[in-house]
Amino acid sequence: MALLEISPSYAGSRALPPNDLSSRPINPLLAFKNRRPSLPCSARRIPRILCSVSPNQVQAPVLSATPAGATIKRECFGVFCTTYDLKAADKTKSWKGLINIAVSGAAGMISNHLLFKLASGEVFGPDQPIALKLLGSERSFQALEGVAMELEDSLYPLLREVSIGKDPYEVFQDAEWALLIGAKPRGPGMERAGLLDINGQIFAEQGKALNDVASRNVKVIVVGNPCNTNALICLKNAPNIPAKNFHALTRLDENRAKCQLALKAGVFYDKVSNMTIWGNHSTTQVPDFLNAKINGMPVTEVITDVKWLKEEFTERVQKRGGVLIQKWGRSSAASTAVSIVDAIRSLITPTPDGDWFSSGVYSTGNPYGIAEDIVFSMPCRSKGDGDYELAKDVIFDDYLRERIKKTEAELLAEKRCVAHLTGEGNAYCDLPEDTMLPGEQ
Amino acid sequence: MALLEISPSYAGSRALPPNDLSSRPINPLLAFKNRRPSLPCSARRIPRILCSVSPNQVQAPVLSATPAGATIKRECFGVFCTTYDLKAADKTKSWKGLINIAVSGAAGMISNHLLFKLASGEVFGPDQPIALKLLGSERSFQALEGVAMELEDSLYPLLREVSIGKDPYEVFQDAEWALLIGAKPRGPGMERAGLLDINGQIFAEQGKALNDVASRNVKVIVVGNPCNTNALICLKNAPNIPAKNFHALTRLDENRAKCQLALKAGVFYDKVSNMTIWGNHSTTQVPDFLNAKINGMPVTEVITDVKWLKEEFTERVQKRGGVLIQKWGRSSAASTAVSIVDAIRSLITPTPDGDWFSSGVYSTGNPYGIAEDIVFSMPCRSKGDGDYELAKDVIFDDYLRERIKKTEAELLAEKRCVAHLTGEGNAYCDLPEDTMLPGEQ
């Protein structure tokens, strides 16, 4: 699902701070929170917040016209730089506190849909003000400014801060959510092992940055491919953040599977529940029709065409992205963004009784007999507190077990490919086939 | 703002119905509602609803598993073809009745943002199920199928029908909202007069179609450029629909103007109110700082830099689209979609006391002394019933009057250019300069 190219120089080293920032005063609050012991003090940077006007275009603040308690952050400019005391205004005093949401690949098409959903209140609710922290690359930086301009022009009341940057150590500062969408797309002739290595380096770096500067309970959703193993690399590089907080996005697969079952059964998609995607976000993934339900009944009782379930269903789910590119000429940015919204909402809203949702999560301690220490998509339930537990009442048959074994074997092989990035020694890569989903990069 | 190219053959003639529909039974309800006396009975068509599977992939409906009252529409296929009696299910019985929303240019980028907002409930509310009727061209038809697939995969509970088509007489059937986004972009060397003529023909045809088949109280928002004169042509070709129901979108201009005033004053954009865009959606438009307010105070009292207000403010508003293309490499599809949502919401939500919003509306009967019989952006208020009244308590000075005269003169000249399309005789075109907004086509 990766859309945004991150320049290779990005992963290996971090550029020096831009000259125009070096003379600015260091915000003592941010300096205090900076946990990077490896960097000399002079290299500590303050987040760079950019909007669309330069400081000399802003008239001196009209203090008589601003609400009581207003403070102006001097190190930034633009409409998102004026911070209000939300408690002081009638309209906003009942709002929750501001939360920081970091998004990588922020200039790509998936983000172009997602950011506006986040800003609208559709995801976190109408009383949750948000700060968007957008991570881009050297190449995408101008585009990021464009994104920030469109966010300004949208006048979303809940969107109180937008900052853009190229350094994850700045952008992830105090992030309570990190939506990691950016990844390098596969170049011509590049093998999956090469892709794993290049993107793995990006996610290792981002894991370290999260570990150093993000909220101690940050929730991380990895979208950039190969997302399961990227998520594993990321969590291994962030030992101070609970491994349980890392997710690999398999929600679009779940949504597509629900839609295909609904189409086959001739019912509306809201009648399909308990849809599990097991394993990797790749062609070895297992959309599970054994446990899924339609109108509360087992799918296998509603759809009696077993041949279709075994031979066509999974293929239909997986080919969806490819068919879409063929018809639409673009990848499924809009529905991917919708599925990220669904994934977040599933963690902040109690799961309906008896139902569950799929997410690629850390497998250690799972009750299904799946290998430990990989990121594996499994059925989850949440109380709506951002956390989850694995679903009970899941059944298996030989057919399901056999397919789960295959995707498990693939994830274990991917793990061996990136051992150098997870601190587990030398990598040994023997991926036998290309299992990238059609329509993805 | 036009993104989607409509092939020239589209406007002049309507293709014959596709063969695969000719043998299907005519839905008596739709045949009854078809108001096209000029067409022989054999040419009357039923709406073509397409999703992503062919009928033979759908298993016979499992009646025991469907809710009471379920009916299957035989003339269509796909997940949006199964119509439920929403009153029969607990979850949906308190919902309002389904409304039909037609969108032209549905395969373009603005729509790609807008359709998902409509489907999510963000626009019409969480208890308003909707049917999306998407109008595309011969060229965009496959892309339209892709859009429908992504809508399927998004599993929006409120989205109950999606139909796609190339004929406005089918797609606009019973539409309660028509969002006319599609227009032909200007080709190399094409003059504004040529663009007015080509797009005028499209909007004349769409006006006729709305007149014949849409709801008698359909609300029409024209986004495709030149949107004011396109809206005029459209309403002139729809004599049975109140002229007051037609709008030309100037809401993005209003939003940008609010943002620029907020930036200059150093306040958050929600403090800016009473922002009027007067006149044409072109460079002659007048963002009105005389009547606008910041924190309830006249802008001219808060921003004392008169030179900036007179010389820079309007330019900043108008250059926004151009700057964005430069930075972002694409036009402002996302913020345009947001502004369409704002425009709809302003008509279905009561306007806050003392405030107003801008919309290009039919000028006949206006209290501001603006020429009658053109579509002119003016300050409006709504009770939230879909209708509006023009704002009172508007003040003018010589500077404002003079600028309004200029944009009025332009709209009168554009009107003379399209006289052949509004039934007012021969066109005479003397547009002196190119007033297309930067970044628009």
Side-chain angles (χ1 to χ4, degrees), chain A residues 51-53 56-62 64-67 72 77-80 82 84 89 91-92 95 106-109 112-113 116-117 120 122 142-161 252 254-256 258-260 262-271 294-295 297 301-305 308 312 316 320-321 323-324 326-328 330-336 338 342 345, chain B residues 51-53 56-62 64-67 72 77-80 82 84 89 91-92 95 106-109 112-113 116-117 120 122 142-161 252 254-256 258-260 262-271 294-295 297 301-305 308 312 316 320-321 323-324 326-328 330-336 338 342 345:
Chain A
C51 295
S52 56
V53 291
N56 60 8
Q57 288 158 5
V58 181
Q59 181 173 286
V62 186
S64 64
T66 54
I72 310 289
F77 47 88
V79 77
F80 295 117
T82 307
Y84 287 94
K91 218 162 49 176
T92 58
W95 284 5
M109 284 311 297
N112 199 234
H113 285 270
F116 291 81
K117 290 173 192 295
S120 76
E122 191 189 334
Q142 279 232 322
L144 269 191
E145 290 183 296
V147 171
M149 283 173 61
E150 282 214 87
L151 287 166
E152 281 185 315
D153 288 344
S154 297
L155 309 183
Y156 284 118
L158 291 163
L159 183 61
R160 293 286 161 158
E161 281 181 41
L252 181 57
E254 174 186 331
N255 288 357
R256 286 173 171 170
K258 281 180 164 172
C259 186
Q260 293 305 312
L263 279 163
K264 178 68 177 172
V267 303
F268 194 60
Y269 40 59
D270 66 347
K271 306 300 175 209
I294 293 177
N295 279 308
M297 295 162 67
E301 286 176 33
V302 179
I303 297 173
T304 49
D305 184 349
W308 184 89
E312 277 193 54
R316 282 190 177 279
R320 196 77 172 162
V323 174
L324 200 79
Q326 210 179 1
K327 288 196 180 285
W328 169 228
R330 292 171 235 182
S331 67
S332 49
S335 51
T336 302
V338 170
D342 289 343
R345 275 201 190 137
Chain B
C51 295
S52 55
V53 292
N56 59 9
Q57 289 159 359
V58 181
Q59 181 172 286
V62 185
S64 64
T66 53
I72 308 288
F77 47 87
V79 77
F80 296 117
T82 307
Y84 287 94
K91 218 163 44 177
T92 59
W95 284 5
M109 283 311 296
N112 198 236
H113 285 270
F116 291 81
K117 289 172 192 294
S120 75
E122 189 190 336
Q142 278 230 325
L144 268 190
E145 290 182 297
V147 171
M149 283 174 61
E150 281 213 88
L151 286 167
E152 281 184 315
D153 288 343
S154 297
L155 309 183
Y156 284 119
L158 291 163
L159 183 61
R160 292 288 161 156
E161 280 181 41
L252 180 57
E254 176 187 331
N255 288 356
R256 287 173 171 171
K258 281 180 165 173
C259 186
Q260 293 305 312
L263 279 163
K264 178 68 176 171
V267 302
F268 195 60
Y269 39 59
D270 67 347
K271 306 301 175 207
I294 293 177
N295 279 308
M297 294 161 67
E301 286 176 32
V302 179
I303 297 173
T304 49
D305 184 349
W308 184 89
E312 278 194 52
R316 282 189 178 280
R320 195 78 170 162
V323 175
L324 199 81
Q326 210 179 358
K327 288 196 180 287
W328 169 229
R330 294 173 232 180
S331 66
S332 48
S335 52
T336 302
V338 170
D342 289 342
R345 274 199 189 141

Side-chain angles (χ1 to χ4, degrees), chain A residues 92-242:
Chain A
T92 58
K93 68 184 174 192
S94 62
W95 284 5
K96 297 172 187 163
L98 192 75
I99 54 168
N100 294 317
I101 304 167
V103 181
S104 78
M109 284 311 297
I110 295 172
S111 295
N112 199 234
H113 285 270
L114 180 63
L115 297 176
F116 291 81
K117 290 173 192 295
L118 293 167
S120 76
E122 191 189 334
V123 186
F124 289 98
D127 60 349
Q128 178 59 70
I130 65 167
L132 288 177
K133 292 165 170 274
L134 310 182
L135 181 66
S137 64
E138 193 67 43
R139 277 175 54 164
S140 70
F141 203 75
Q142 279 232 322
L144 269 191
E145 290 183 296
V147 171
M149 283 173 61
E150 282 214 87
L151 287 166
E152 281 185 315
D153 288 344
S154 297
L155 309 183
Y156 284 118
L158 291 163
L159 183 61
R160 293 286 161 158
E161 281 181 41
V162 174
S163 58
I164 61 183
K166 290 175 272 188
D167 181 347
Y169 285 86
E170 286 175 1
V171 175
F172 292 166
Q173 186 86 43
D174 300 319
E176 278 140 288
W177 289 85
L179 312 174
L180 305 184
I181 299 169
K184 196 171 165 60
R186 184 160 53 169
M190 188 187 289
E191 300 214 352
R192 190 168 171 89
L195 189 71
L196 274 165
D197 182 55
I198 286 181
N199 278 317
Q201 290 183 39
I202 293 173
F203 284 88
E205 179 75 1
Q206 294 187 359
K208 288 187 184 114
L210 288 166
N211 197 57
D212 277 7
V213 302
S215 157
R216 297 302 79 192
N217 198 24
V218 61
K219 303 295 188 292
V220 184
I221 300 181
V222 177
V223 180
N225 278 321
C227 66
N228 292 54
T229 298
N230 287 342
L232 182 71
I233 293 166
C234 203
L235 74 86
K236 290 285 182 183
N237 283 279
N240 297 334
I241 296 167

Side-chain angles (χ1 to χ4, degrees), chain B residues 45-117:
Chain B
R45 269 151 284 167
I46 49 167
R48 188 177 189 196
I49 304 184
L50 273 180
C51 295
S52 55
V53 292
S54 61
N56 59 9
Q57 289 159 359
V58 181
Q59 181 172 286
V62 185
L63 289 177
S64 64
T66 53
T71 57
I72 308 288
K73 281 184 290 181
R74 285 293 161 204
E75 72 272 27
C76 68
F77 47 87
V79 77
F80 296 117
C81 297
T82 307
T83 306
Y84 287 94
D85 178 3
L86 295 171
K87 296 290 169 208
D90 275 352
K91 218 163 44 177
T92 59
K93 68 183 173 192
S94 62
W95 284 5
K96 297 171 187 163
L98 193 75
I99 55 168
N100 295 316
I101 303 168
V103 180
S104 79
M109 283 311 296
I110 295 172
S111 294
N112 198 236
H113 285 270
L114 180 63
L115 297 174
F116 291 81
K117 289 172 192 294

